[in-house]
Amino acid sequence: MAFVELAEKSISVACAENFFRAVMMQTLSHWKRLFDKACTLECSDLRLVGRDFEGTFFSGPGRIEIDGSSSIRFSMYGSAADGGAAWCKMISARENPYEALEQFRLFATDYEGNEWAGGYTAIDFFTDHKYGWPLAGELQGLSTKVSGPWVAQNSSVELLFLPPFHLPMNEWMMTTTTLGEEELGGSRGPGRQVIDVLGTRVVFANDLSGDGLWLTADTSDQLRHPEAESWLSEPLRILMGAIIYPRLTARNFGDGSAFVTLLPAPRQVTPSPFGLMQPVGLDRTHDERFWQLYADILSMIAAGDGMGMQGHEVTRLYEELCQAQRGSRWSILLTLASTVEALAKSLMSEGDRRSEFSDDTLKAMEKHLRAWGGDAALRGRMLSNLGFVKQRSPLAFLRTLGKGGTVNPAHVDTWQKLRNSVMHGEMAGPWSTAEGDQHMQELIALVHDLTKARIARG
């Protein structure tokens, strides 16, 4: 069972510096200064490669521009050993945009000798291409294999969020400014939180500079490469209802080498009402529940076999809710209603899916319908509808949960009403009303109750 350290402490800057230097952040500290803001990697060689047996199609000098937020873009002045083959590959990539293996892969060497992998990318011309091949494209990330004395020596994961966001922490950092013997002032702020879960210690810590949030953990039998770096940030997206991804990750292999990855992470994290629990509370009890929920969600994610780097089903549902905030009230209600149904279905066992009507009753009804001599089209439609009755509906399951106290029955009624209307073309009002806001709050509460039931199931 997950255990959260909850005793409040204060740590001096000197102790914090020793902790950061001796235990954590050895790998990403080397890269933080380069990637915490917009920057450009000047490259001596960029290579656009096809399948393994196809080799390199384009190569040449160029640059990778990182704008400090969600964009990583490259441009290059390429040359092609076989222009005809390169052109055919470009046409094939454009005609098959959903076939990853038909796309180009980017590899780069910067002027410091670092080798970077940029993954699959769609390319285009960025200027007049009468001379050579001036090509450009977007990247979903950059990775490099590193080694050296500054790489962590233990098998572990490091995540760095730039810029940081607020989380409750039970260890505080204190700084004091002095002039000679005179103390001029000081400050105190959140420093660190340690959670014991999945056979290891997960550590959250604010950077001493104040411009980064670190999340680190040694690997274990339950928290392992390569899924660990994805798993560790997923509970934050569920808890805060926000799109939260690290800017930098390090996968430390324990032999002095690591994979360092740069991701196009959001530059602002704002908790939303969809979050299961907001990070800001009035007392320590709130903070305790927040971190216990984090540990429970992480345990649920680790138990979800086969989900891997794609994200847990609950995480993906909350990501959809986060994205829905950009739309109209109708789109928000559609997403909430669909999320409730998806969570209900994920909770239903084989027994729960059995119809509330007996097999004999269903067979008798089917026999009756087939014997009916009326309109054939109507008979076919009624037989088709009978197929839905042969399995228990999510609504019937939700009503059972309401009777057992897992969810509020009134919220189930609201869901039934709104689901049937918004999913069948009845648009919601574009403006806020007391009734509309109340319905939305009830749907959010129903999503939260179902999420807690899903977490408890593991």
Side-chain angles (χ1 to χ4, degrees):
M1 179 174 290
F3 173 74
V4 183
E5 286 192 359
L6 296 167
E8 184 172 358
K9 309 170 188 175
S10 294
I11 53 176
S12 67
V13 170
C15 291
E17 288 176 342
N18 290 336
F19 173 78
F20 278 68
R21 184 165 46 247
V23 182
M24 298 170 55
M25 308 171 197
Q26 298 175 23
T27 304
L28 290 184
S29 293
H30 185 79
W31 301 95
K32 176 178 178 291
R33 292 185 297 275
L34 179 61
F35 293 125
D36 61 350
K37 296 180 176 66
C39 67
T40 299
L41 287 177
E42 299 290 350
C43 299
S44 59
D45 187 35
L46 290 169
R47 300 175 301 284
L48 287 168
V49 177
R51 300 174 188 246
D52 291 340
F53 62 85
E54 291 177 324
T56 299
F57 285 98
F58 300 103
S59 64
R63 59 176 49 181
I64 299 173
E65 295 177 296
I66 301 149
D67 71 359
S69 60
S70 58
S71 176
I72 304 174
R73 186 171 179 82
F74 77 91
S75 57
M76 65 181 291
Y77 290 93
S79 60
D82 186 338
W87 181 253
C88 288
K89 177 65 178 179
M90 183 177 290
I91 296 299
S92 177
R94 291 187 178 185
E95 291 180 346
N96 299 278
Y98 304 109
E99 294 291 335
L101 295 179
E102 288 298 321
Q103 307 307 306
F104 291 95
R105 292 176 292 163
L106 179 83
F107 294 92
T109 303
D110 64 30
Y111 281 101
E112 293 183 0
N114 298 308
E115 299 280 347
W116 296 92
Y120 290 101
T121 180
I123 65 172
D124 205 349
F125 299 104
F126 69 87
T127 188
D128 187 345
H129 57 280
K130 293 180 180 178
Y131 306 100
W133 299 79
L135 304 172
E138 296 281 343
L139 300 176
Q140 297 302 310
L142 279 173
S143 296
T144 184
K145 181 75 177 289
V146 298
S147 60
W150 45 270
V151 174
Q153 299 300 307
N154 53 322
S155 178
S156 60
V157 176
E158 301 173 22
L159 278 60
L160 178 57
F161 299 90
L162 298 169
F165 47 88
H166 176 80
L167 291 175
M169 297 184 182
N170 69 340
E171 292 185 86
W172 292 71
M173 287 192 295
M174 300 179 64
T175 61
T176 303
T177 302
T178 61
L179 180 63
E181 299 296 324
E182 182 182 0
E183 184 175 310
L184 301 180
S187 63
R188 182 173 183 264
R192 183 178 63 170
Q193 178 75 41
V194 180
I195 304 168
D196 288 342
V197 60
L198 299 182
T200 188
R201 308 189 85 196
V202 178
V203 181
F204 291 81
N206 283 317
D207 192 80
L208 293 177
S209 66
D211 61 359
L213 173 67
W214 297 83
L215 197 173
T216 63
D218 287 346
T219 58
S220 67
D221 291 340
Q222 297 168 275
L223 187 69
R224 54 195 180 272
H225 296 312
E227 296 91 352
E229 60 205 63
S230 172
W231 289 353
L232 288 169
S233 62
E234 284 191 50
L236 297 175
R237 300 200 283 281
I238 295 173
L239 283 166
M240 298 174 65
I243 301 298
I244 299 174
Y245 287 93
R247 181 66 164 163
L248 283 166
T249 69
R251 188 186 306 169
N252 300 313
F253 294 107
D255 59 359
S257 68
F259 271 129
V260 172
T261 300
L262 171 69
L263 297 170
R267 292 298 293 177
Q268 184 176 5
V269 172
T270 303
S272 78
F274 299 132
L276 188 59
M277 187 172 188
Q278 300 302 303
V280 178
L282 299 177
D283 52 34
R284 284 182 55 198
T285 301
H286 168 277
D287 298 350
E288 294 173 13
R289 289 190 290 112
F290 181 90
W291 290 115
Q292 189 61 61
L293 264 177
Y294 174 91
D296 292 342
I297 294 170
L298 183 59
S299 298
M300 175 190 70
I301 291 168
D305 295 336
M307 295 176 184
M309 304 292 285
Q310 296 180 1
H312 193 276
E313 58 180 332
V314 176
T315 309
R316 297 199 301 274
L317 289 171
Y318 272 79
E319 288 171 351
E320 290 296 327
L321 287 172
C322 296
Q323 300 289 355
Q325 293 179 87
R326 304 177 182 178
S328 66
R329 292 177 66 86
W330 187 34
S331 64
I332 293 173
L333 288 173
L334 279 167
T335 309
L336 281 168
S338 298
T339 300
V340 168
E341 190 157 349
L343 287 169
K345 288 179 177 179
S346 75
L347 285 166
M348 295 174 73
S349 65
E350 287 301 319
D352 293 326
R353 291 187 174 89
R354 294 194 189 98
S355 175
E356 57 265 48
F357 304 104
S358 69
D359 291 342
D360 290 341
T361 301
L362 292 169
K363 289 177 181 178
M365 177 58 71
E366 182 177 359
K367 182 178 179 180
H368 172 73
L369 289 172
R370 291 191 183 281
W372 184 63
D375 186 276
L378 177 58
R379 182 174 62 249
R381 183 174 295 184
M382 297 304 294
L383 285 169
S384 177
N385 289 337
L386 185 63
F388 294 108
V389 182
K390 289 180 178 179
Q391 281 196 334
R392 195 180 190 197
S393 68
L395 174 60
F397 176 70
L398 286 170
R399 292 206 184 283
T400 300
L401 293 182
K403 291 177 181 177
T406 301
V407 300
N408 188 323
H411 298 169
V412 176
D413 292 338
T414 299
W415 174 77
Q416 180 190 18
K417 175 184 175 182
L418 291 177
R419 180 203 181 279
N420 291 338
S421 61
V422 300
M423 287 190 174
H424 291 87
E426 185 175 329
M427 296 185 68
W431 51 81
S432 176
T433 64
E435 182 183 26
D437 288 349
Q438 178 66 26
H439 286 165
M440 194 168 293
Q441 291 169 8
E442 289 175 353
L443 287 183
I444 293 172
L446 183 55
V447 167
H448 289 173
D449 287 341
L450 291 170
T451 303
K452 291 173 183 176
R454 182 66 177 83
I455 295 168
R457 199 189 76 176

